[in-house]
């Protein structure tokens, strides 16, 4: 351990002596303090706080991400190019220990920088919140500067598949189809129809959701809850509002709340609901009556959500930083892996390219969803086809699984909507991002570094 | 006089070929390849040699002959294309074996942002030395290499000579059993060169094995017991310096200045017994290194310098733990400091043919002012040297 810590100390020393640490820390502080001065918000305290959180944390992630890749590629590749590694590798230290020491050093450096910039963001938020009127402060502490648990109605995934299969069987019975590709397409369309029937609320119809809050039922006694909803309409770019009559709780039982609201489409709305509306089992029943002449569509995944107070903002903020730290640790493993077999500029370029692949997984997902990388014809509905689909689509599927392990965490979104990032989520992030994906890069990097001849470079000090 | 001539032969030489094999190289070949795996250069070609414990082994050859590649192969920094290397009976990549090795590369590849103290502390940590040991050894090493007063300056600001010195210090932080020095005197001033050579001999006295790669013939000649001469990646010659350099069919006799008549008689006797061959008589001269060191030694006594100090004293832990012996230290210092006049005829200038006028000149004592003092030193009796040698040997661990 003494050897690994010595390498770790060396990495810190380099960052301090080359003033890298000071420069990045200064840039982060400037970004945290400067961004709120130039960004525009919707005029509400909530909107402003959300924007501060989103912009500053995104800026911190981006800035530290790039510096991490730069530093991790540089710390190993330059040691090899400038031949210092030739002295170090002749000492009684295994190459994996050199690698691990550098990784640990960069991780600790990131932890320090993240802590400094995170403390600045937190301090700024608290300072600005303290200057607001008490009522606004109260709203802010209920909606954003809070850690709220979330419960959603069942997505009915199993029901959808069962209903789809049943409808497909019926359809094929009535209209037999020979081509298997057509069967697949038919199933896809039927599935969308089934989903629509579960999401759509036609005019003058109502929809009922039962949200399961049994696990937290006891802790929610006398605590007001909040409803976060979103719906879409068939009207593209609708600017008008839509009337919805909400009924919450058990109909005609004490505490039943009913109210009509004018709400805009395609955006999230959040409103308070009184305490103690759960039934004896711990379910909260929500009714929405569509009072408009057009249908409303409540998406299954994020159309309806119940938020309940769970903890303080400070710890939630720290957990969010923890997930960002996991990302940075992965980036440093990626950079070190690239530097294990490439020269400094090439390693940096390679790591950036990997980042771009992860960030562009939306395009990859679309190709996988279409089953081809070729463009289709929107007018005729004809799907594209490419001979490389045979190997590219399975490869993309695998890539999506891996990038999903890294990207399926949204600490900034969760913070800006005041939702809890649980310890479980943080642990999962650490397991998936650092141990699983990061571990792969660590393993590959160590093997490559171990096999590399370290004395082929000529010193260029 | 080179230190190697002041003291007795190193243990390996004394022990003959029975000593423990520290480095064994068999059929070693290294071919550098390009990106497409096509052979680019054959740097080392079917090389075989063994280095035994306590030996000072020289790798000699012109630039690009394969010396440094061999060193890097021995250290596991390069992988051999063919052949087998064992260092202390293990692969050069064996981590624990490396704790017995000290390496000074041909350039001082050190971390520029660390100062000399931090550099030694860092490498001490890699050797898992305790803090107390690191501090003590760093202190002694910095004194030894003459950087005691520049401990807080970043290594990147050092001159090349100072970088070599700190490089040498880091190579010795672990009191290694095998020291591999690649061009150790490159960039050093003559005093530094002399100190390095003194150190090499002192290490060999303690039974340490030294592999010295150099293209400077005088370095190798002064300290090495055995050498290999490389050219084109192949070993062209190998053996002890005596085996390689001795001329068994000629003889040199060195005496104090003789009266003209005596010299004439001696020559007459020699000529009477010789039927063929040439007889030469000349004044032995000291070499430039000895002369230079003598001048600097006098100047040093008169003034200070802001650059690297002359260490001139081997770190105590490298001498085998003899710190509390001030008298002994003085002796060691005396012995390791330049003794120019004691340099023997081995470094003599080219001989001249005998004729009467030169014979007259040669029979007169030399009158050059600077040469006067070395001539005085030359009067050191063999018995005195023998005593000093014994004392030094005991200081260095009693290994003869």
């Amino acid at each position: 351990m003494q050897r690994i810590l010595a390498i770790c100390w060396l990495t810190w020393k380099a960052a301090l002596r080359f003033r890298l640490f000071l420069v990045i820390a200064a840039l982060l502080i400037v970004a945290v303090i400067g961004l709120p001065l130039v960004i525009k918000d919707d005029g509400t305290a909530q909107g402003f706080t959300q924007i501060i959180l989103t912009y500053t944390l995104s800026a911190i992630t981006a800035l530290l991400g790039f510096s991490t890749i730069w530093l991790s590629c540089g710390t190993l590749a330059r040691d090899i190019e400038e031949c210092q590694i030739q002295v170090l590798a002749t000492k009684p230290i295994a190459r994996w220990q050199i690698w691990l020491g550098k990784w640990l050093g960069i991780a600790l450096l990131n932890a320090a920088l993240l802590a400094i910039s995170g403390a600045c963001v937190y301090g700024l938020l608290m300072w600005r919140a303290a200057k607001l009127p008490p009522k606004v402060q109260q709203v802010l502490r209920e909606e954003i500067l809070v850690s709220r648990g979330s419960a959603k109605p069942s997505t009915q995934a199993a029901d959808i598949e069962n209903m789809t299969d049943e409808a497909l069987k019926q359809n094929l019975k009535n209209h037999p189809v020979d081509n298997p590709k057509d069967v697949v397409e038919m199933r896809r369309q039927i599935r969308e129809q089934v989903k629509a029937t579960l999401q759509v609320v036609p005019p003058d119809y109502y929809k009922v959701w039962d949200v399961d809050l049994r696990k937290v039922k006891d802790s929610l006694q006398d605590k007001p809850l909040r409803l976060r909803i979103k719906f879409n309409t068939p009207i593209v770019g609708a600017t008008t509002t839509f009337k919805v009559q909400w009924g919450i709780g058990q109909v005609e039982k004490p505490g039943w709340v009913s109210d009509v609201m004018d709400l805009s489409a395609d955006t999230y709305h959040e409103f308070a609901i009184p305490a103690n509306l759960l039934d004896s089992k711990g379910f909260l029943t929500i009714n929405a009556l569509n009072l408009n002449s057009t249908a409303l569509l409540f998406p299954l995944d994020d159309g309806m959500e119940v938020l309940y107070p769970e903890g303080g903002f400070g710890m939630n903020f720290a957990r969010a930083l923890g997930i960002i730290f996991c990302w940075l640790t992965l980036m440093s493993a990626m950079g070190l892996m690239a530097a294990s077999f490439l020269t400094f500029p090439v390693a940096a370029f390679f790591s950036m390219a990997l980042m771009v692949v992860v960030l562009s997984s939306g395009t990859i997902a679309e190709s996988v969803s279409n089953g081809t990388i070729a463009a289709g014809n929107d007018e005729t509905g004809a799907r594209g086809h490419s001979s490389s689909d045979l190997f590219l689509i399975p490869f993309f599927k695998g890539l999506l699984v891996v990038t999903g392990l890294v990207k399926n965490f949204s600490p900034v979104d969760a913070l800006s909507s005041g939702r809890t990032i649980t310890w479980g989520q943080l642990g999962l992030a650490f397991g998936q991002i650092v141990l699983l994906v990061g571990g792969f890069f660590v393993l590959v990097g160590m093997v490559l570094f171990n096999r590399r001849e370290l004395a082929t470079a000529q010193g260029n000090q | 006089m080179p230190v190697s001539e002041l003291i007795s032969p190193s243990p390996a030489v004394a022990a003959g070929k029975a000593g423990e094999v520290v480095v064994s190289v068999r059929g070693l070949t290294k071919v550098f390849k390009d990106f497409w795996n096509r052979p680019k250069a054959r740097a080392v070609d079917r090389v075989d040699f063994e280095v035994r414990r306590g030996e000072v082994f020289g790798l000699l050859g012109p630039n690009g002959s394969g010396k440094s590649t061999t060193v890097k192969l021995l250290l596991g920094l390069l992988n051999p294309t063919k052949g087998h290397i064992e260092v202390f009976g293990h692969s050069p990549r064996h981590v624990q074996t490396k704790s017995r090795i000290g390496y000074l590369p041909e350039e001082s590849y050190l971390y520029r942002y660390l100062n000399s103290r931090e550099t030694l502390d860092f490498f001490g940590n890699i050797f898992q030395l305790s803090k107390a040991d690191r501090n003590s050894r760093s202190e002694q090493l910095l004194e030894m290499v003459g950087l005691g007063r520049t401990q807080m300056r970043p290594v990147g600001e050092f001159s090349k000579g100072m970088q070599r010195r700190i490089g040498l210090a880091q190579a010795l932080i672990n009191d290694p059993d095998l020291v591999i020095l690649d061009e150790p005197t490159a960039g050093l001033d003559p005093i530094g060169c002399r100190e390095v050579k003194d150190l090499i001999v002192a290490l060999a006295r303690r039974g340490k094995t030294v592999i010295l790669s150099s293209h400077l013939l005088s370095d190798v000649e002064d300290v090495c017991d055995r050498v290999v001469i490389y050219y084109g990646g192949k070993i062209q010659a190998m053996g002890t310096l005596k085996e390689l350099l001795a001329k068994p069919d000629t003889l040199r006799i060195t005496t104090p200045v003789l009266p003209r008549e005596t010299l004439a008689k001696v020559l007459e006797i020699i000529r009477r017994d010789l039927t063929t061959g040439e007889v030469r008589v000349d004044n032995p001269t000291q070499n430039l290194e000895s002369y230079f060191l003598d001048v600097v030694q006098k100047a040093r006594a008169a003034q200070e310098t802001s650059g690297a100090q002359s260490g001139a004293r081997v770190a105590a832990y490298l001498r085998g733990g003899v710190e509390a012996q001030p008298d002994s230290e003085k002796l060691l210092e005396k012995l390791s400091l330049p003794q120019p006049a004691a340099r023997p005829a081995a470094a003599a200038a080219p001989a001249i043919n005998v004729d009467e006028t030169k014979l007259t000149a040669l029979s007169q004592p030399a009158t050059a002012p600077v040469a006067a003092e070395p001539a005085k030193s030359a009067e050191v009796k063999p018995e005195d040297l023998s005593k000093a040698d014994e004392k030094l040997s005991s200081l260095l661990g009693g290994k003869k």
Side-chain angles (χ1 to χ4, degrees):
Chain A
M1 197 61 193
Q2 189 177 351
R3 291 165 179 152
I4 294 173
L5 290 178
I7 302 291
C8 180
W9 171 87
L10 187 76
T11 312
W12 264 85
K13 208 79 183 173
L16 289 171
R17 292 275 161 91
F18 288 130
R19 296 188 176 81
L20 186 81
F21 186 87
L22 285 177
V23 169
I24 294 176
L27 280 174
L28 286 170
I29 292 168
V30 167
V32 167
I33 295 170
L35 271 175
L37 300 176
V38 294
I39 51 179
K40 289 182 180 174
D41 60 286
D42 62 358
T44 66
Q46 298 99 300
F48 185 68
T49 308
Q50 281 176 328
I51 282 180
I52 287 185
L53 271 171
T54 307
Y55 276 66
T56 51
L57 289 181
S58 302
I60 289 170
T61 309
L63 200 57
L64 278 181
F66 281 113
S67 69
T68 297
I69 285 186
W70 201 255
L71 183 64
S72 54
C73 290
T75 188
L76 189 59
R78 291 184 74 91
D79 268 15
I80 296 169
E81 286 159 30
E82 294 180 354
C83 301
Q84 286 102 337
I85 204 80
Q86 291 186 27
V87 180
L88 186 56
T90 56
K91 309 295 181 206
I93 180 168
R95 292 194 187 175
W96 67 265
Q97 288 175 315
I98 298 176
W99 208 101
L100 200 64
K102 286 188 179 287
W103 193 41
L104 190 64
I106 297 168
L108 291 178
L109 209 60
N110 275 330
L113 287 167
L114 203 57
I116 292 170
S117 48
C120 287
V121 174
Y122 186 80
L124 186 75
L125 284 173
M126 294 299 132
W127 177 67
R128 294 192 82 114
K131 288 169 70 180
L132 294 169
K135 268 194 171 177
V136 182
Q137 276 194 44
Q138 179 65 25
V139 174
L140 208 56
R141 293 192 191 285
E142 282 177 2
E143 289 190 17
I144 297 165
L145 300 182
V146 64
S147 168
R148 298 181 297 182
S150 158
K152 289 180 181 178
S154 163
T155 54
Q156 298 174 280
D159 292 344
I160 291 170
E161 298 307 320
N162 290 337
M163 288 163 78
T164 304
D165 289 339
E166 192 60 39
L168 178 67
K169 203 187 281 178
Q170 196 64 39
N171 245 307
L172 288 173
K173 198 173 173 185
N174 297 337
H175 310 286
V177 175
D178 294 332
N179 191 340
K181 278 189 178 173
D182 291 341
V183 175
V184 171
E185 180 59 21
M186 185 187 279
R187 190 185 189 284
R188 193 181 67 82
Q189 289 185 14
I190 290 171
R191 191 171 181 278
E192 289 305 312
Q193 285 172 2
V194 169
K195 268 178 76 178
T197 57
L198 294 171
Q199 295 177 117
V200 171
V201 185
D204 297 325
Y205 277 76
Y206 70 90
K207 181 172 169 61
V208 181
W209 292 270
D210 281 317
V211 182
D212 185 356
L213 290 163
R214 283 177 294 179
K215 283 184 183 169
V216 288
K217 181 187 157 201
D218 295 336
S219 66
L220 296 183
Q221 286 288 332
D222 303 326
K223 284 185 183 169
L225 309 178
R226 293 187 81 84
L227 206 59
R228 182 180 164 91
I229 61 108
K230 179 182 145 184
F231 61 85
N232 310 114
T233 67
I235 305 164
V236 179
T239 51
T240 55
T241 55
F242 299 86
K243 278 189 191 310
V244 181
Q245 180 170 5
W246 296 96
I248 299 166
Q250 292 170 277
V251 183
E252 295 172 2
K253 291 272 174 79
W256 158 256
V257 176
S258 177
D259 197 6
V260 176
M261 290 183 180
D262 279 321
L263 302 167
S264 53
D266 306 326
T267 186
Y268 288 103
H269 301 277
E270 201 176 309
F271 47 89
I273 48 178
N276 304 324
L277 288 182
L278 274 60
D279 66 15
S280 56
K281 291 178 182 169
F283 283 89
L284 179 67
T285 306
I286 301 158
N287 291 277
L289 175 62
N290 183 359
L291 300 174
N292 308 283
S293 56
T294 182
L296 302 180
L297 186 146
F298 289 85
L300 286 172
D301 50 353
D302 60 352
M304 178 63 59
E305 187 178 9
V306 175
L307 298 165
Y308 52 88
E310 212 173 32
F313 175 74
M315 198 46 87
N316 208 34
F317 185 76
R319 286 190 291 262
L321 292 183
I323 293 179
I324 294 174
F325 175 72
C326 290
W327 283 335
L328 295 174
T329 308
L330 172 66
M331 285 182 211
S332 57
M334 211 159 73
L336 281 169
M337 186 274 284
S340 299
F341 69 105
L342 297 169
T343 56
F344 173 50
V346 185
F349 180 77
F350 178 84
S351 307
M352 301 280 183
L354 277 181
M355 285 257 295
V356 170
V357 169
V358 174
L359 293 174
S360 64
S361 59
T363 314
I364 296 171
E366 200 180 330
S367 297
V368 170
S369 161
N370 292 336
T372 177
I373 59 163
N377 188 328
D378 289 339
E379 288 182 8
T380 62
R383 298 171 65 193
H385 176 73
S386 166
S387 53
S388 53
D389 289 344
L390 198 64
F391 59 90
L392 271 184
I393 296 300
F395 173 70
F396 282 172
K397 279 182 182 169
L399 204 61
L400 278 180
V401 171
V402 176
T403 55
L405 291 173
V406 178
K407 283 183 73 181
N408 288 347
F409 301 93
S410 316
V412 179
D413 286 350
L415 272 187
S416 61
S417 57
R419 268 179 289 188
T420 301
I421 297 160
T422 62
W423 287 110
Q425 282 173 312
L426 181 59
L428 192 68
F430 184 77
Q432 286 184 190
I433 300 171
V434 179
L435 297 183
L436 203 63
V437 185
F440 170 76
F441 285 122
V442 170
L443 203 66
V444 172
M446 283 180 178
V447 169
L448 291 173
F449 184 54
N450 201 45
R451 292 173 61 90
R452 185 169 179 176
E453 290 193 318
L454 297 178
T456 49
Q458 293 300 315
N460 54 3
Q461 286 196 82
Chain B
M1 174 179 286
V3 182
S4 54
E5 291 178 41
L6 267 174
I7 56 182
S8 60
S10 64
V13 174
K17 290 193 174 179
E20 173 200 353
V21 174
V22 172
V23 174
S24 167
V25 172
R26 291 194 298 276
L28 185 64
T29 301
K30 178 64 188 177
V31 179
F32 286 109
K33 295 178 179 173
D34 66 8
F35 182 79
W36 306 107
N37 215 29
R38 292 174 303 195
K40 202 165 58 175
R42 186 173 282 265
V44 177
D45 192 6
R46 285 166 290 169
V47 164
D48 299 274
F49 62 82
E50 280 184 350
V51 183
R52 291 174 186 276
R53 185 169 175 271
E55 213 175 10
V56 182
F57 187 80
L59 303 174
L60 198 59
N63 292 334
S65 58
K67 308 183 300 290
S68 289
T69 303
T70 303
V71 164
K72 284 165 185 173
L73 286 161
L74 292 179
L75 290 161
L77 294 172
L78 292 173
N79 303 327
T81 309
K82 274 185 197 167
H84 186 76
I85 305 172
E86 275 187 11
V87 180
F88 292 110
H90 292 100
S91 151
R93 293 284 297 271
H94 186 248
V95 173
Q96 285 315 310
T97 300
K98 290 179 181 178
S99 60
R100 301 176 68 185
I101 299 174
Y103 168 54
L104 172 71
E106 72 267 38
E107 299 275 339
S108 291
Y109 300 133
L110 298 173
Y111 294 98
R112 289 172 292 162
Y113 45 87
L114 298 182
N115 62 39
S116 42
R117 186 85 190 199
E118 289 168 340
T119 299
L120 297 185
D121 193 68
F122 168 68
F123 287 114
N125 256 320
I126 298 291
F127 282 101
Q128 295 186 313
L129 299 178
S130 68
K131 190 163 179 56
D133 268 355
R134 294 200 304 274
N135 284 342
S136 149
R137 289 187 181 192
S138 298
E139 196 73 44
Q140 293 175 54
L141 283 170
L142 288 171
E143 279 303 318
M144 185 187 88
V145 297
L147 295 176
R149 295 182 193 173
T150 52
Q151 297 189 13
M152 305 316 285
R153 269 176 69 189
V155 169
E157 292 177 8
F158 279 7
S159 69
K160 192 174 179 189
M162 289 164 84
Q163 289 195 1
R164 295 304 287 161
R165 287 163 186 265
I166 187 66
L168 186 64
Q170 66 76 27
L172 299 171
I173 187 79
N174 58 322
D175 190 12
D177 292 328
L178 169 63
V179 187
I180 300 180
L181 306 170
D182 199 352
E183 308 286 4
T185 57
L188 292 179
D189 56 29
I191 306 167
C193 291
R194 182 54 173 270
E195 286 164 6
V196 168
K197 287 188 263 184
D198 287 342
L199 178 72
I200 291 170
V201 174
L203 290 170
R205 292 290 88 224
R206 280 191 62 209
K208 309 288 187 187
T209 309
V210 181
I211 295 179
L212 170 69
S213 162
S214 180
H215 62 268
L216 299 175
L217 305 182
S218 63
D219 285 1
V220 176
E221 188 177 3
D222 284 352
V223 296
C224 289
D225 301 314
R226 208 152 60 88
V227 297
V228 288
I229 299 175
Y230 273 77
Y231 186 80
K234 291 182 179 174
I235 291 180
Q236 305 294 335
M238 177 160 61
T240 62
L241 285 172
K242 197 176 176 185
E243 286 166 0
L244 296 175
L245 304 180
K247 292 181 179 174
D249 55 346
T250 56
L251 194 68
R252 189 196 298 263
I253 301 167
T254 306
T255 70
V257 175
L258 299 171
R260 188 175 177 281
E261 296 74 26
T262 312
L263 193 56
K265 281 181 197 167
V266 170
L267 284 170
E268 181 56 37
I269 294 166
I270 291 171
R271 282 199 186 110
R272 202 164 50 211
D273 287 354
L274 275 180
T275 51
T276 58
E278 191 179 43
V279 180
R280 286 168 179 265
V281 179
D282 55 26
N283 281 123
T285 59
Q286 59 179 316
N287 66 8
L288 186 58
E289 182 192 356
S290 302
Y291 179 79
F292 176 87
L293 290 171
D294 186 47
V295 171
V296 172
Q297 193 182 357
K298 286 174 184 166
R300 189 197 297 150
Q303 64 186 65
E304 290 281 310
T305 173
S306 61
Q309 305 290 306
S310 171
R313 195 173 69 181
V314 178
Y317 76 93
L318 292 173
R319 300 199 306 265
V322 286
E323 284 158 88
Q325 298 182 42
D327 292 342
S328 309
E329 272 189 2
K330 277 179 195 166
L331 179 63
L332 181 73
E333 201 163 319
K334 181 184 162 194
L335 290 168
S336 59
L337 277 169
Q339 301 291 333
R343 186 164 285 277
I352 55 167
N353 289 328
V354 181
D355 63 29
E356 285 303 308
T357 50
K358 285 189 177 174
L359 191 62
T360 308
L362 285 167
S363 61
Q364 302 300 319
T367 53
V370 180
E373 193 173 288
K376 192 178 172 188
S377 303
E379 289 169 10
V380 174
K381 293 175 184 172
E383 301 86 63
D384 295 337
L385 285 179
S386 169
K387 280 179 189 170
D389 179 35
E390 278 174 26
K391 199 152 189 178
L392 177 64
S393 298
S394 69
L395 284 174
L396 294 169
K399 296 175 177 110
K400 266 203 160 191

